[in-house]
Amino acid sequence: MAVRIGQYKAHYWTWSNSLEEFNKGINFCPGEEVPGVTTHDQKEHTLQPILFHLGRDPGEKFPISVSSHEYQKVLSRISPVVELHKSTLVPGVPQLNMCDVAVMNWAPAGCEKLGKCLKVPKSQPWKCDWPH
């Protein structure tokens, strides 16, 4: 989904949660939405990753322009690392083939103080389709 090298982080895929969940009040990034990054559908950016400088922009709200010299220079350092990693990947067989939304993190750290903890849905595990 993303790669970090030093102060730079490149997003190759973006997704926060589905629009259906969002419309039901489930928001994985409340108050932290970034256009083109916190998306409700998985979006592929493999041809033109979204790049951030974490030292200047720790909240990852302001992508570096793809037309900038900085973007081209950093991407030329990150791309070979990504390709090397992809060349060493070995497909795995799922160890646990069950999914259950009730086991997700519905109470992130600090949510009690903010009153932002989400109600945990009833546990209803199902056999997952892979890959997911």
Side-chain angles (χ1 to χ4, degrees):
M1 302 276 295
V3 174
R4 179 178 174 177
I5 293 182
Q7 291 289 315
Y8 292 95
K9 184 174 178 184
H11 288 262
Y12 287 81
W13 290 85
T14 55
W15 179 76
S16 55
N17 63 318
S18 71
L19 190 55
E20 179 184 356
E21 290 173 319
F22 183 77
N23 288 335
K24 289 180 182 176
I26 302 168
N27 185 357
F28 293 160
C29 305
E32 301 295 323
E33 291 81 8
V34 178
V37 177
T38 51
T39 56
H40 297 294
D41 294 315
Q42 277 194 350
K43 302 278 184 189
E44 181 179 4
H45 306 281
T46 54
L47 295 178
Q48 199 170 56
I50 301 171
L51 186 64
F52 296 96
H53 185 287
L54 301 176
R56 294 190 307 254
D57 180 19
E60 300 178 36
K61 293 189 181 286
F62 307 101
I64 297 170
S65 171
V66 296
S67 61
S68 72
H69 175 69
E70 179 183 21
Y71 182 95
Q72 300 303 323
K73 182 179 173 186
V74 172
L75 197 61
S76 71
R77 286 182 29 221
I78 291 177
S79 294
V81 173
V82 171
E83 292 308 312
L84 176 62
H85 173 69
K86 286 167 50 178
S87 73
T88 64
L89 292 176
V90 177
V93 177
Q95 298 292 313
L96 301 171
N97 203 20
M98 297 302 292
C99 292
D100 187 352
V101 295
V103 301
M104 294 173 62
N105 185 9
W106 294 94
C111 70
E112 297 88 358
K113 283 185 178 181
L114 298 172
K116 298 280 186 177
C117 296
L118 300 172
K119 185 176 181 235
V120 179
K122 181 181 174 190
S123 177
Q124 295 180 322
W126 71 93
K127 189 165 176 81
C128 299
D129 292 324
W130 290 90
H132 78 278

